[in-house]
Amino acid sequence: MKRRREIVASLMQEDEMILSIGSYPQLGSGDFLEPPHKANGQFSRSLFLPDEVINPHPRFHTLAGNIRERRGSKVRINMPVFHDLNTPRPFIDPSIPYDRSLFPGDKEAKEGAALPDHIYMDAMGFGMGCCCLQITLQAPNVDLARRLYDQLATVGAVMMSLSASSPIFRGYLADVD
């Protein structure tokens, strides 16, 4: 990764900088795919994400449905929007299709799932669409498990700050560090 950054930096102008972000800033915003797809898929049932963004392995389609069934609703992700001079107060997202009625959960945004002054996201793909790494560790005994935990707990804060590299969601600037 260091070498890649060096190569890119060597091709940039003096007033250009490399920006590393953990998620695609336009994910779920208008025609963000090429070719464009409509957000009307049976699996995610998202107002913003088409099923074409989901990994085609059946496990992922089943996962989306199972979570929705267990919760009794779609996921509700609300990130506070950044207010600048041009952001209305309250900010009510004009891109939410409140009148859509393809699936029973389509009414959730209108019924309060989409909070004012927030960027609303209604599918697991918004979390799983971020660049991420998940690891599972197994220790042969409790003593080693505690030792592993103690070692990893010290770097937890650093890892959290490194993962906070997503300032834009659905094309809107979020008020998060």
Side-chain angles (χ1 to χ4, degrees):
M1 187 59 113
K2 181 180 177 185
R3 180 71 182 130
R4 287 182 188 169
R5 290 181 72 87
E6 289 171 352
I7 291 169
V8 171
S10 73
L11 300 170
M12 298 173 75
Q13 302 295 320
E14 291 254 341
D15 61 345
E16 295 176 333
M17 296 179 69
I18 297 173
L19 175 64
S20 298
I21 57 175
S23 65
Y24 179 61
Q26 294 293 324
L27 182 69
S29 149
D31 289 334
F32 67 96
L33 290 175
E34 182 60 41
H37 295 280
K38 293 200 179 299
N40 59 6
Q42 178 64 37
F43 298 109
S44 73
R45 298 185 182 181
S46 173
L47 297 170
F48 315 105
L49 293 183
D51 281 354
E52 285 78 8
V53 302
I54 300 174
N55 185 311
H57 190 283
R59 174 174 93 190
F60 292 96
H61 293 146
T62 303
L63 179 65
N66 287 347
I67 287 176
R68 194 174 50 254
E69 184 177 323
R70 186 172 53 239
R71 290 176 47 89
S73 66
K74 294 190 284 187
V75 297
R76 298 175 179 188
I77 305 167
N78 284 284
M79 296 294 292
V81 72
F82 178 78
H83 286 278
D84 64 6
L85 296 175
N86 298 311
T87 308
R89 288 184 186 263
F91 171 77
I92 306 297
D93 186 349
S95 68
I96 298 174
Y98 288 110
D99 57 344
R100 190 178 95 164
S101 61
L102 289 174
F103 305 106
D106 286 351
K107 61 185 176 191
E108 293 172 9
K110 192 174 192 173
E111 293 176 347
L115 302 176
D117 293 321
H118 285 74
I119 305 160
Y120 175 63
M121 295 166 277
D122 68 345
M124 293 179 3
F126 286 106
M128 294 164 44
C130 295
C131 299
C132 57
L133 173 64
Q134 176 181 335
I135 60 171
T136 302
L137 302 172
Q138 181 176 349
N141 58 53
V142 128
D143 290 331
L144 189 53
R146 287 183 181 133
R147 186 173 175 169
L148 265 172
Y149 176 85
D150 290 344
Q151 297 298 312
L152 293 172
T154 61
V155 296
V158 172
M159 298 306 287
M160 288 285 287
S161 65
L162 288 174
S163 67
S165 62
S166 300
I168 303 169
F169 299 93
R170 292 192 40 249
Y172 296 111
L173 189 59
D175 193 9
V176 292
D177 291 333

